Amino acid sequence: MLGKGVVGGGGGTKAPKPSFVSYVRPEEIHTNEKEVTEKEVTLHLLPGEQLLCEASTVLKCVQEDSCQRGIYGRLVCTDFKIAFLGDDESALDNDETQFKNKVIGENDITLHCVDQIYGVFDEKKKTLFGQLKKYPEKLIIHCKDLRVFHFCLRYTKEEEVKRIVSGIIHHTQAPKLLKRLFLFSYATAAQNHTAADPKSHAVMFDTLQDWCWELERTKGNRKYKAVSVNEGYEVCERLPAYFVVPTPLPEEDVPRFQGHGIPIWCWSCHSGCALLKMSALPKEQDDGILQIQKNFLDGIYKIIHRPPYEIVKTEDLSSNFLSLQEIQTAYSKFKQLFLIDNSTEFWDTDIKWFSLLESSSWLDIIRRCLKKAIEIIECLEAQNMNVLLLEENASDLCCLVSSLVQVMMDPHCRTRFGFQSLVQKEWIVGGHCFLDRCNHLRQSDKEEVPVFLLFLDCVWQLVHQHPPAFEFSETYLTVLSDSLYIPIFSTFFFNSPHQKDTNMGRESQGAQSKPLNLLTVWDWSVQFEPKAQTLLKNPLYVEKPKLDKGQRKGTHFKHQRQLSLPLTQSKSSPKRGFFREETDHLIKNLLGKRISKLINSSEELQDNFREFYDSWRSKPPNYHGLLLPHIEGPEIKVWAQRYLRWIPEAQILGGGRVATLSKLLETMEEVQRLQEKIEERHHSQEALQAEAASLLRTSARLSSLFPFALLQRHSSKPVLPTSGWKALGDEEDLAKREDEFVDLGDV
């Protein structure tokens, strides 16, 4: 249907000038405006959502090398989203799409999801911000979920171009006040709507009873107590209204430094050891105040460190671990690998994939986080020590590390209810500054750091390595990461419980004031129909442990290997970049030196860590016990479903882990049918697995990135960018070996 790509320039040859090819001739555009209007798709608005500006006869482009095709329609901007409403309704509304989001459509971008906006002026791409003197002929929007949208404005009226471009720039980039977020407009308009009880989806940890329940579940109530000293946030606005501290700690000590320097309980393991966190005391220059702080900390330390009965190890995450700047810098480089404009750019990037992946350091940061969690687990599990995590405000790296430790040690946190409760406890109530870290108010780019996304990526590594141990699927993690930018849920739009309660009117005593009730992200029925929700559940989850040594090694597929860095030259991937066959010469160019940055051999580990880690790996896995990740270089992989789902060239039709899963589910379904005939009974869990298997089976030609892969951009065979391949030999040789390359013509 679409034309083939144009070969990239080699030897100084300039690529042909791009041209827009529309389904409607330009001369017909203005004469047929009435007919076009009749075919326009209706704009669906949420409660409280208002249309701000719009432009007609906008071409949404489908990128294919230097050729650009697409469909015409309206581009609109509301106070909630940017949406494209195509004239061809059938092209936009595909009933076969089984995984639809009821809140965000395929061509919708929430304002908070916009990352960067670019304009094309005379074929030159420039970043757009502030007031424009000249308006672009093409608008390119990069999203935080890594989608890329291209809108041609060449045939749009000049006044409409000015209005829509200025409106989009202003409403996505201008600093906002908290009360001006769409979150509040939606909450006010939807006041009469009945919302599900949030406690049916997770423990919210907003009552003293919730904390007492968690203490009892983990047997932590023997040494720790839940306190209400901060009820009403009179002691500290940063801390939650209720939290847990060591039983011997006098409650009057909590207000002394506004909650700083107080050991706060996170979790207790079966041995009785606990994971604690503490925010650092403010830095002071006065010697007298410093001495008071020292005496205070000495008293606290004596409470939690009472050898030989209670031994505590301190982990200072602010000085001995990652910095927030490292995380932000690494992710900024990493995400550029996936913000692809067209097929040519994809294949250009493919040549230097390994070097770009390594230079971003994102996989190395994931490995370091997992390794730190294992080190802490070794102290709790093997050395029987309490661990105290220290951080300036105990709201970033403390949340990350403590959550990973609990996912690895507590099988309850690997269920969906338990995982959602964990996020509530350690991140939401724990005071992670989602408003700042996601930069929802656009007030400071310096505060934006994807700490929570890093946590989800680390959890994905565990899900990927140990699928039977998790009740939720990788699709669940992917849609959870997307939900960070949907402002109808309060979950990820406040910096602290105090900020949420204050702005939702819960502290107001006025007779006419009624607290706003916001949705929680954990009610997945708001976003997905029941059939789609089955894809959030892992059908391979086992209720009881199966100690089969054969499961230890796991199964590796070629496409997986390409999403991780090779261990050494001798064991490097036999592929060029993602998909093409590798030559010895290219291996030498890409991997001329050992990629040691991401490889942490056992010789570099401390003796006790090595002994603990190797001992665990030598045993069969207990999916309902301690679960550690493999952290060697090739084992840390790219989360393909999240990062590659919008790139058709990266998808494998009829292949990948999804194809394997489909076969497994078919086998499971057959076994279940046989069991039903024998036992004459039917379990609800079996019905869910059968439903998931049905979804996978009825999807024609499964993509490796199902259920997100829409395959909208059709790609011909990969076109070699000859200017970058001079070292590989003559171009004629490459042409002769064209049949060796993977044919993606059907993608």
Side-chain angles (χ1 to χ4, degrees):
M1 177 180 172
L2 301 181
K4 290 186 177 181
V6 181
V7 178
T13 305
K14 187 176 180 181
K17 181 178 179 180
S19 60
F20 290 92
V21 182
S22 65
Y23 296 140
V24 182
R25 294 193 301 274
E27 60 269 20
E28 294 179 344
I29 293 175
H30 298 293
T31 59
N32 292 341
E33 281 185 358
K34 183 176 180 181
E35 181 181 348
V36 167
T37 302
E38 292 176 354
K39 295 191 294 181
E40 286 177 349
V41 180
T42 304
L43 174 62
H44 299 286
L45 299 176
L46 294 176
E49 184 178 4
Q50 295 182 346
L51 177 65
L52 301 176
C53 52
E54 62 179 309
S56 56
T57 54
V58 173
L59 178 68
K60 178 178 178 286
C61 306
V62 177
Q63 295 301 112
E64 175 60 25
D65 295 324
S66 297
C67 297
Q68 300 177 4
R69 300 172 183 264
I71 58 173
Y72 282 103
R74 282 190 300 155
L75 183 61
V76 304
C77 179
T78 73
D79 55 352
F80 170 64
K81 65 178 180 285
I82 301 166
F84 178 78
L85 309 174
D87 297 338
D88 186 359
E89 187 171 0
S90 61
L92 293 175
D93 188 14
N94 182 6
D95 290 334
E96 295 181 1
T97 303
Q98 297 164 335
F99 196 66
K100 290 182 179 180
N101 191 308
K102 297 192 292 183
V103 178
I104 303 298
E106 174 187 334
N107 291 309
D108 294 344
I109 315 166
T110 66
L111 301 182
H112 297 283
C113 192
V114 174
D115 191 12
Q116 292 288 340
I117 302 176
Y118 300 93
V120 176
F121 303 85
D122 300 325
E123 300 181 34
K124 293 182 180 180
K125 181 178 170 182
K126 298 180 180 179
T127 305
L128 300 182
F129 55 88
Q131 295 290 333
L132 300 181
K133 295 181 180 178
K134 183 180 179 182
Y135 289 85
E137 60 189 36
K138 186 176 182 182
L139 196 65
I140 303 175
I141 301 177
H142 285 186
C143 304
K144 293 183 179 180
D145 62 4
L146 304 180
R147 289 181 296 170
V148 178
F149 288 88
H150 294 251
F151 299 108
C152 173
L153 307 174
R154 182 173 295 180
Y155 304 119
T156 309
K157 294 179 181 178
E158 184 177 353
E159 286 302 315
E160 293 185 359
V161 171
K162 292 180 180 179
R163 192 159 50 245
I164 192 67
V165 173
S166 299
I168 289 176
I169 292 175
H170 174 75
H171 292 289
T172 59
Q173 296 185 354
K176 300 178 179 65
L177 297 174
L178 178 60
K179 281 287 193 178
R180 298 301 299 271
L181 293 181
F182 178 73
L183 184 74
F184 296 96
S185 301
Y186 180 83
T188 302
Q191 273 290 75
N192 296 327
H193 292 208
T194 303
D197 180 11
K199 293 188 182 296
S200 64
H201 306 290
V203 180
M204 305 306 289
F205 292 98
D206 55 358
T207 66
L208 198 63
Q209 289 73 20
D210 288 346
W211 288 101
C212 292
W213 178 87
E214 181 73 355
L215 279 172
E216 184 177 354
R217 186 188 71 83
T218 61
K219 303 298 187 290
N221 51 357
R222 300 170 185 173
K223 300 178 182 179
Y224 298 89
K225 62 182 180 182
V227 296
S228 58
V229 65
N230 196 40
E231 197 169 29
Y233 307 102
E234 296 177 359
V235 172
C236 177
E237 296 179 355
R238 176 182 51 83
L239 290 175
Y242 311 99
F243 51 91
V244 175
V245 296
T247 300
L249 180 73
E251 292 190 23
E252 55 267 22
D253 282 353
V254 177
R256 286 193 62 183
F257 294 98
Q258 294 185 322
H260 290 274
I262 298 298
I264 296 177
W265 176 86
C266 297
W267 180 77
S268 291
C269 65
H270 59 85
S271 65
C273 294
L275 182 62
L276 309 167
K277 64 181 178 181
M278 177 190 290
S279 57
L281 289 172
K283 296 179 181 179
E284 296 287 349
Q285 303 295 328
D286 185 87
D287 292 338
I289 298 179
L290 286 174
Q291 186 60 44
I292 293 174
Q293 290 183 348
K294 182 179 182 302
N295 294 338
F296 176 76
L297 290 178
D298 286 344
I300 295 294
Y301 193 69
K302 289 178 182 178
I303 292 175
I304 60 177
H305 184 70
R306 297 176 295 167
Y309 309 105
E310 294 284 339
I311 301 175
V312 65
K313 180 185 178 184
T314 302
E315 281 283 349
D316 189 349
L317 300 179
S318 295
S319 58
N320 300 326
F321 192 41
L322 296 167
S323 69
L324 297 180
Q325 183 60 46
E326 283 182 88
I327 297 173
Q328 176 62 18
T329 301
Y331 185 70
S332 296
K333 294 179 181 179
F334 178 72
K335 70 180 180 181
Q336 294 304 320
L337 296 173
F338 312 102
L339 293 168
I340 303 296
D341 282 343
N342 52 53
S343 299
T344 299
E345 184 178 341
F346 174 84
W347 293 113
D348 283 343
T349 305
D350 183 64
I351 301 174
K352 45 193 177 182
W353 167 256
F354 285 132
S355 59
L356 291 173
L357 183 58
E358 182 197 12
S359 64
S360 74
S361 297
W362 182 250
L363 296 187
D364 179 49
I365 284 177
I366 292 172
R367 182 188 60 78
R368 289 168 65 185
C369 291
L370 294 172
K371 178 176 177 289
K372 177 62 68 175
I374 297 173
E375 290 174 353
I376 291 170
I377 290 172
E378 190 270 335
C379 293
L380 294 167
E381 184 83 5
Q383 299 187 40
N384 205 31
M385 299 168 56
N386 295 328
V387 178
L388 177 65
L389 304 177
L390 291 178
E391 193 183 9
E392 183 177 354
N393 287 314
S395 60
D396 288 302
L397 299 176
C398 277
C399 301
L400 170 65
V401 174
S402 64
S403 298
L404 286 178
V405 168
Q406 293 174 64
V407 170
M408 294 180 196
M409 295 190 73
D410 191 346
H412 174 71
C413 296
R414 301 196 284 269
T415 66
R416 194 160 86 176
F417 183 88
F419 184 78
Q420 293 174 172
S421 300
L422 172 69
V423 173
Q424 279 292 140
K425 180 180 69 171
E426 296 296 333
W427 295 85
I428 312 303
V429 178
H432 181 65
C433 301
F434 282 100
L435 198 64
D436 295 338
R437 293 293 176 249
C438 297
N439 200 16
H440 288 317
L441 297 182
R442 297 284 182 174
Q443 291 182 350
S444 175
D445 292 340
K446 295 180 180 179
E447 297 292 327
E448 185 173 3
V449 186
V451 184
F452 186 69
L453 178 59
L454 175 58
F455 164 66
L456 294 182
D457 208 330
C458 290
V459 173
W460 178 85
Q461 303 292 332
L462 288 161
V463 172
H464 179 79
Q465 293 179 17
H466 307 288
F470 291 85
E471 188 184 29
F472 50 86
S473 64
E474 70 167 337
T475 302
Y476 169 87
L477 294 174
T478 301
V479 297
L480 181 56
S481 71
D482 292 341
S483 300
L484 284 168
Y485 314 111
I486 304 179
I488 67 171
F489 307 110
S490 62
T491 312
F492 302 124
F493 277 83
F494 294 101
N495 284 336
S496 66
H498 168 263
Q499 187 183 52
K500 176 182 176 181
D501 289 349
T502 301
N503 286 279
M504 300 315 293
R506 292 179 183 172
E507 291 189 346
S508 175
Q509 302 298 323
Q512 297 181 348
S513 63
K514 182 181 179 181
L516 297 176
N517 291 317
L518 286 181
L519 298 175
T520 172
V521 73
W522 311 126
D523 184 2
W524 294 107
S525 64
V526 176
Q527 296 191 64
F528 302 105
E529 296 293 349
K531 189 174 182 180
Q533 288 183 59
T534 60
L535 294 174
L536 306 183
K537 181 178 175 63
N538 177 17
L540 301 183
Y541 174 66
V542 294
E543 294 293 340
K544 296 180 180 180
K546 296 180 181 180
L547 304 179
D548 182 4
K549 290 185 178 180
Q551 296 175 350
R552 193 86 188 120
K553 296 179 181 179
T555 305
H556 292 274
F557 303 96
K558 290 182 179 180
H559 80 283
Q560 293 178 350
R561 197 68 172 182
Q562 296 148 3
L563 299 179
S564 60
L565 285 167
L567 183 61
T568 62
Q569 292 183 45
S570 60
K571 295 182 181 180
S572 60
S573 170
K575 298 284 184 179
R576 174 185 307 142
F578 267 126
F579 305 107
R580 304 172 190 164
E581 292 188 3
E582 190 61 273
T583 65
D584 293 338
H585 193 87
L586 185 59
I587 292 176
K588 292 178 181 178
N589 285 347
L590 287 179
L591 306 174
K593 59 181 180 179
R594 179 187 175 100
I595 303 180
S596 59
K597 188 174 183 181
L598 294 186
I599 315 305
N600 193 14
S601 66
S602 57
E603 296 176 356
E604 300 175 25
L605 304 177
Q606 302 92 340
D607 290 341
N608 54 354
F609 177 90
R610 175 184 175 182
E611 181 180 353
F612 175 73
Y613 186 64
D614 291 346
S615 174
W616 183 87
R617 292 197 61 176
S618 66
K619 300 174 184 177
N622 179 1
Y623 294 127
H624 286 265
L626 177 63
L627 194 73
L628 300 182
H630 306 299
I631 58 174
E632 293 77 12
E635 299 293 346
I636 305 299
K637 302 181 184 296
V638 173
W639 182 1
Q641 190 191 69
R642 183 184 194 275
Y643 299 120
L644 291 168
R645 53 185 160 156
W646 313 121
I647 306 176
E649 291 81 5
Q651 299 169 24
I652 305 172
L653 288 180
R657 288 175 61 91
V658 173
T660 305
L661 176 62
S662 177
K663 294 297 182 183
L664 282 172
L665 291 178
E666 288 180 13
T667 303
M668 290 169 60
E669 190 179 16
E670 180 65 25
V671 171
Q672 289 166 3
R673 281 198 296 266
L674 293 174
Q675 287 177 338
E676 289 171 17
K677 291 180 180 179
I678 296 172
E679 302 174 5
E680 296 182 353
R681 63 182 184 179
H682 183 72
H683 296 286
S684 60
Q685 181 182 358
E686 294 168 355
L688 283 173
Q689 291 176 338
E691 180 73 15
S694 175
L695 273 175
L696 290 169
R697 239 187 358 264
T698 55
S699 299
R701 303 195 67 191
L702 286 175
S703 162
S704 57
L705 302 179
F706 176 87
F708 296 98
L710 298 177
L711 302 177
Q712 290 183 327
R713 186 167 74 236
H714 298 262
S715 173
S716 59
K717 280 187 177 181
V719 178
L720 296 179
T722 54
S723 59
W725 289 75
K726 293 298 183 183
L728 299 180
D730 296 337
E731 296 176 21
E732 293 182 1
D733 285 341
L734 293 174
K736 291 178 182 178
R737 288 186 280 129
E738 184 181 14
D739 58 343
E740 298 179 8
F741 300 139
V742 178
D743 189 352
L744 298 179
D746 292 330
V747 175

